[in-house]
């Protein structure tokens, strides 16, 4: 029995595009997260795709949103007077950076023509089904939606592989993700360790959470979505067991936009790809390495030591993630106006980025069945003081 389990774990794998990634294999699937670093330009996006291909990446990833499904009206109306803004309101800013379905199709075909996989994060239900229609090799569920259980339930029913990042989430939410996938009998998915802080300080990277996720999901390929500066911490993540790597990608760190400063430029991305290939070709890489082995292989650099040695017990929402959670975390909001005395059901609710924040999305099942104490307008966040506990 022990031998069978050992063989089962050894063979656990995930097909991503043209690449079969094994949980304990030597291949690392590298995703260049273009996100919205294209500045709203289709031509810049194509140039970034080519640069990512030339750097040796396996895949380019964008972020797909239907703005009315992802944000409440009040969130879209919020004034956005900032250096990084592309509009007077947050809605205008996001609309400027959002590509249409037809443009996504054009980018996907361009990626195919030059030999690199193309996908995107699904930021809402509409985008999930649009990406499925685009026939991307896999769909990413970002950290902001890892507690969006209705979206995860729909994603779990797709035949397409999915990858889920776990930034801004707790151990309880991660266990719920596991249960949702199990209930749907979905096995072709992967889990990424992530800290949602931009950029992430080395002492906040919590790399040993990769080992923890490998224990929680012994049947899965585990990855790392990093937002730190530089490449050594990502190398360490791979050495301790990550087999899918996602790093934000930019043509220039000084460009307008909040993600550029934690992104790799083409030269650095190419160096990271080369370094990872060299590391994984080493005869020592026949299993995840211990921290001391990583220090020995990479050198006792201060950043890697901080990233590996400082680790909270279990999975919590880190202090450094609070600002991102307040800005982009998903809340429970009303689909329609609801009257006092109404008993809440799931069909009354949506999960959106809300202004102000409401009850966090992971509490949806605790809210269902509670009675409203007051009138709530449509597309408005649900707060604990509005319900009878």
């Amino acid at each position: 029995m022990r031998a069978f389990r050992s063989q089962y774990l050894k063979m656990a794998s995930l097909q991503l595009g043209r690449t079969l990634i094994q949980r304990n294999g030597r291949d690392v699937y590298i995703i260049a997260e273009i996100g919205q670093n294209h500045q709203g330009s289709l031509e810049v996006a194509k140039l970034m795709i080519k640069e990512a291909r030339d750097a040796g990446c396996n895949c380019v990833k964008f972020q797909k949103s239907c703005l009315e499904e992802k944000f409440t009206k009040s969130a879209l109306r919020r004034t956005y007077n900032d250096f990084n803004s592309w509009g007077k309101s947050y809605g205008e800013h996001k609309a400027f950076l959002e590509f249409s379905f037809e443009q996504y199709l054009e980018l996907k075909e361009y990626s195919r023509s030059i030999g690199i996989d193309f996908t995107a994060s699904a930021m809402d239900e509409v985008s999930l089904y649009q990406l499925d229609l685009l026939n991307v090799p896999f769909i990413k569920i970002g950290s902001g939606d890892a507690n969006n259980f209705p979206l995860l339930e729909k994603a779990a029913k797709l035949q397409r592989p999915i990858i889920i990042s776990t930034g801004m989430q707790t151990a309880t939410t991660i266990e719920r993700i596991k249960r949702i996938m199990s209930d749907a009998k979905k096995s072709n998915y992967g889990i990424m360790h992530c800290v949602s802080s931009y950029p992430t300080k080395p002492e906040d990277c919590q790399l040993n959470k990769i080992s923890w996720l490998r224990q929680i999901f012994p049947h899965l390929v585990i990855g790392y979505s990093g937002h730190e500066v530089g490449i050594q911490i990502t190398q360490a993540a791979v050495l301790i067991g990550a087999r899918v790597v996602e790093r934000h990608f930019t043509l220039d760190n000084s460009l307008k936009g909040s993600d550029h400063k934690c992104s790799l430029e083409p030269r650095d991305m190419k160096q990271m790809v080369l370094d990872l290939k060299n590391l994984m070709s080493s005869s020592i890489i026949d299993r995840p390495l211990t921290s001391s082995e990583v220090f020995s292989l990479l050198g006792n650099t201060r950043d890697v030591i901080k990233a590996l040695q400082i680790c909270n017990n279990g999975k919590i929402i880190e202090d450094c993630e609070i600002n991102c959670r307040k800005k982009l975390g998903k809340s429970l909001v009303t689909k329609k106006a609801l009257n006092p005395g109404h008993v809440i059901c799931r069909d009354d609710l949506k999960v959106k980025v809300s202004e102000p924040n409401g009850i966090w999305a992971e509490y949806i099942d605790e809210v269902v069945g509670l009675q409203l104490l007051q009138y709530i307008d449509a597309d408005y966040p649900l707060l604990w003081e509005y319900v009878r506990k």
Side-chain angles (χ1 to χ4, degrees):
M1 184 67 179
R2 182 177 298 174
F4 173 80
R5 176 176 170 79
S6 175
Q7 181 69 12
Y8 167 71
L9 296 181
K10 182 179 180 180
M11 296 301 291
S13 61
L14 182 64
Q15 186 74 44
L16 297 176
R18 293 159 288 187
T19 309
L20 180 68
I21 299 297
Q22 294 185 333
R23 174 184 168 90
N24 293 325
R26 290 179 177 269
D27 290 329
V28 179
Y29 190 83
I30 300 174
I31 303 168
E33 160 69 295
I34 292 174
Q36 295 188 321
N37 280 352
H38 48 70
Q39 316 294 81
S41 166
L42 200 65
E43 293 310 309
V44 170
K46 288 180 179 179
L47 176 59
M48 295 183 76
I49 292 169
K50 183 179 182 299
E51 290 285 351
R53 191 279 310 267
D54 292 347
C57 297
N58 300 90
C59 180
V60 290
K61 188 180 79 65
F62 290 75
Q63 296 172 4
K64 183 78 181 73
S65 298
C66 172
L67 299 186
E68 294 76 17
E69 289 294 315
K70 180 181 177 181
F71 300 97
T72 60
K73 291 181 178 65
S74 60
L76 292 174
R77 287 194 301 262
R78 176 169 63 85
T79 300
Y80 193 37
N81 184 19
D82 185 90
F83 168 78
N84 293 317
S85 174
W86 296 96
K88 294 180 180 179
S89 69
Y90 196 65
E92 289 179 359
H93 164 76
K94 297 301 288 185
F96 180 88
L97 295 171
E98 190 65 40
F99 289 139
S100 68
F101 180 85
E102 291 73 22
Q103 288 173 317
Y104 266 87
L105 182 59
E106 183 176 343
L107 291 173
K108 182 208 166 191
E109 288 304 310
Y110 176 73
S111 300
R112 182 195 59 77
S113 72
I114 67 170
I116 188 170
D117 291 343
F118 170 92
T119 193
S121 296
M123 303 290 197
D124 51 77
E125 183 179 331
V126 170
S127 298
L128 176 74
Y129 291 128
Q130 286 183 337
L131 289 172
D132 192 43
L133 188 61
L134 277 170
N135 197 29
V136 294
F138 66 95
I139 295 173
K140 173 76 183 295
I141 303 295
S143 294
D145 283 295
N147 62 343
N148 186 347
F149 301 148
L151 181 67
L152 287 170
E153 289 162 1
K154 292 175 175 64
K157 293 177 182 177
L158 300 177
Q159 296 298 311
R160 201 168 306 284
I162 61 174
I163 291 179
I164 306 166
S165 275
T166 58
M168 303 185 289
Q169 307 304 332
T170 65
T172 301
T173 294
I174 290 171
E175 286 289 350
R176 179 62 182 276
I177 294 170
K178 184 178 182 180
R179 189 161 73 250
I180 288 171
M181 298 299 142
S182 177
D183 289 346
K185 296 181 171 54
K186 189 169 186 66
S187 58
N188 60 336
Y189 73 103
I191 296 288
M192 307 275 277
H193 169 56
C194 178
V195 176
S196 298
S197 177
Y198 304 83
T200 310
K201 295 178 181 178
E203 58 267 29
D204 291 328
C205 286
Q206 303 277 323
L207 282 194
N208 281 314
K209 291 294 194 304
I210 293 170
S211 302
W212 179 77
L213 286 171
R214 284 174 60 88
Q215 294 174 3
I216 299 296
F217 298 94
H219 57 299
L220 294 187
V221 171
I222 303 301
Y224 174 62
S225 179
H227 304 120
E228 74 276 6
V229 175
I231 62 177
Q232 268 209 323
I233 289 174
T234 296
Q235 292 173 0
V238 169
L239 291 175
I240 66 172
R243 291 297 178 266
V244 179
V245 162
E246 178 182 81
R247 290 295 305 270
H248 282 255
F249 184 57
T250 182
L251 298 176
D252 185 342
N253 291 128
S254 67
L255 288 172
K256 176 179 174 178
S258 56
D259 283 346
H260 290 285
K261 60 181 177 295
C262 64
S263 300
L264 296 178
E265 294 180 345
R267 179 182 59 184
D268 295 324
M269 183 68 84
K270 186 173 185 177
Q271 188 64 54
M272 187 189 77
V273 172
L274 179 63
D275 287 350
L276 289 177
K277 286 182 178 179
N278 288 338
L279 284 172
M280 297 309 288
S281 66
S282 170
S283 59
I284 192 175
I285 312 299
D286 56 356
R287 54 176 171 75
L289 302 187
T290 64
S291 295
S292 59
E293 288 172 328
V294 172
F295 300 149
S296 177
L297 197 59
L298 296 181
N300 289 317
T301 63
R302 181 179 301 176
D303 287 354
V304 172
I305 290 172
K306 288 180 179 179
L308 276 169
Q309 289 190 337
I310 301 175
C311 188
N312 297 319
N313 293 325
K315 182 76 169 70
I316 63 172
I317 300 168
E318 304 293 337
D319 289 344
C320 64
E321 297 179 302
I322 297 299
N323 286 339
C324 185
R325 184 168 166 92
K326 288 179 178 178
K327 180 181 178 182
L328 294 176
K330 295 289 183 72
S331 298
L332 300 175
V333 305
T334 53
K335 283 186 182 179
K336 57 186 178 183
L338 300 174
N339 291 314
H342 179 80
V343 177
I344 299 171
C345 63
R346 257 209 184 197
D347 196 47
D348 294 326
L349 302 172
K350 282 197 168 188
V351 177
K352 293 187 177 185
V353 175
S354 170
E355 178 77 23
N357 297 139
I359 297 172
W360 296 117
E362 64 264 29
Y363 294 109
I364 187 167
D365 292 328
E366 284 83 345
V367 164
V368 169
L370 298 182
Q371 189 178 47
L372 282 177
L373 297 173
Q374 67 178 69
Y375 172 84
I376 307 179
D377 204 355
D379 201 43
Y380 196 81
L382 186 66
L383 305 179
W384 285 116
E385 54 261 40
Y386 297 168
V387 295
R388 191 187 305 278
K389 298 181 183 179

